[in-house]
Amino acid sequence: MPLDPSQREQLLRTAVLAGDQQAWQTWYEECYDALYRYVLWRSAGRHDWADEVVQETWLVAVRRIRHFDPRRGLLFDWLRGIAGNVIRNQLRRRVAHESRVRSLDGEPAQPETASVGVETDQAQRIAAALAALPEHYEAVLRLKYVDSASVAEIAAQRDQSPKAVESLLVRARQMFRQKYEKPQNNGEVE
């Protein structure tokens, strides 16, 4: 009889804690692509940011693996939570750094090229808006736009009616738009 996902994750965790490198490799290979897609989405398509966040996420996971409890969820869900925290922390650092970097005349320092500055600003605003969303809004947007799930598939997964999911998507998109259009708030990420 096959193991349920929680039991399998518990066996992998036990093996990892015992020093089994193959167990880590199994988890890494199973989670990496989906984690990278999630982080890339949360990083507004910026591969440089996504690479950094994914790397830091795995480092945190290695240090904190004893805190992972398979009875509470799958490793991927735990990694996604870590990644969300890493993204929020990096956004705070970036915004704080940019607010300190000023030219001598008090104007913000100019990027090497204007298009890079605009792209970075837009990506940072998208990432900040996603980070500021409540989890259920972020989750439904992720299912729709990262996982390419249909409304019917999302409804089945969330045990809701398709109409309820459509309504949730509308509210999630509206809140995203509000957060995205909101002026930067003195270097803080909500």
Side-chain angles (χ1 to χ4, degrees):
M1 183 166 99
L3 298 173
D4 74 32
S6 174
Q7 291 171 323
R8 182 176 179 279
E9 297 268 292
Q10 184 62 49
L11 288 174
L12 284 168
R13 180 184 180 272
T14 300
V16 164
L17 291 175
D20 184 340
Q21 291 181 351
Q22 186 58 45
W24 259 125
Q25 187 67 30
T26 298
W27 259 344
Y28 183 83
E29 289 172 359
E30 289 176 358
C31 294
Y32 182 84
D33 290 340
L35 180 64
Y36 191 85
R37 280 192 311 274
Y38 169 74
V39 170
L40 186 62
W41 177 66
R42 288 287 304 268
S43 300
R46 292 285 309 259
H47 288 274
D48 55 335
W49 293 359
D51 292 342
E52 191 176 322
V53 169
V54 168
Q55 180 179 1
E56 189 171 336
T57 298
W58 281 105
L59 290 172
V60 170
V62 167
R63 286 192 309 266
R64 299 187 48 85
I65 192 62
R66 291 187 185 288
H67 299 281
F68 169 60
D69 183 357
R71 293 171 300 193
R72 295 181 62 199
L74 300 177
L75 180 74
F76 176 71
D77 297 326
W78 186 67
L79 290 170
R80 196 170 51 214
I82 292 170
N85 289 332
V86 169
I87 290 166
R88 278 188 287 282
N89 291 338
Q90 286 193 0
L91 283 170
R92 285 185 189 105
R93 284 192 300 265
R94 278 190 182 97
V95 171
H97 173 74
E98 288 171 8
S99 70
R100 289 190 309 265
V101 177
R102 304 256 178 217
S103 65
L104 292 176
D105 63 2
E107 295 296 317
Q110 296 299 314
E112 292 179 24
T113 66
S115 64
V116 170
V118 169
E119 179 184 303
T120 299
D121 179 59
Q122 183 181 29
Q124 189 162 311
R125 288 177 58 210
I126 291 168
L130 287 169
L133 292 177
E135 170 61 28
H136 65 290
Y137 284 173
E138 186 273 333
V140 74
L141 290 173
R142 176 178 23 85
L143 287 168
K144 178 72 176 161
Y145 298 108
V146 176
D147 299 342
S148 300
S150 68
V151 169
E153 291 168 333
I154 296 169
Q157 183 174 342
R158 295 178 60 88
D159 197 27
Q160 295 178 316
S161 72
K163 204 68 170 155
V165 169
E166 288 172 359
S167 180
L168 184 61
L169 280 165
V170 167
R171 290 192 310 274
R173 286 188 289 254
Q174 286 173 338
M175 182 174 276
F176 172 82
R177 191 174 307 110
Q178 290 170 349
K179 300 290 185 186
Y180 177 79
E181 293 172 353
K182 183 178 178 181
Q184 294 294 320
N185 50 357
N186 296 328
E188 293 186 20
V189 175
E190 295 179 358

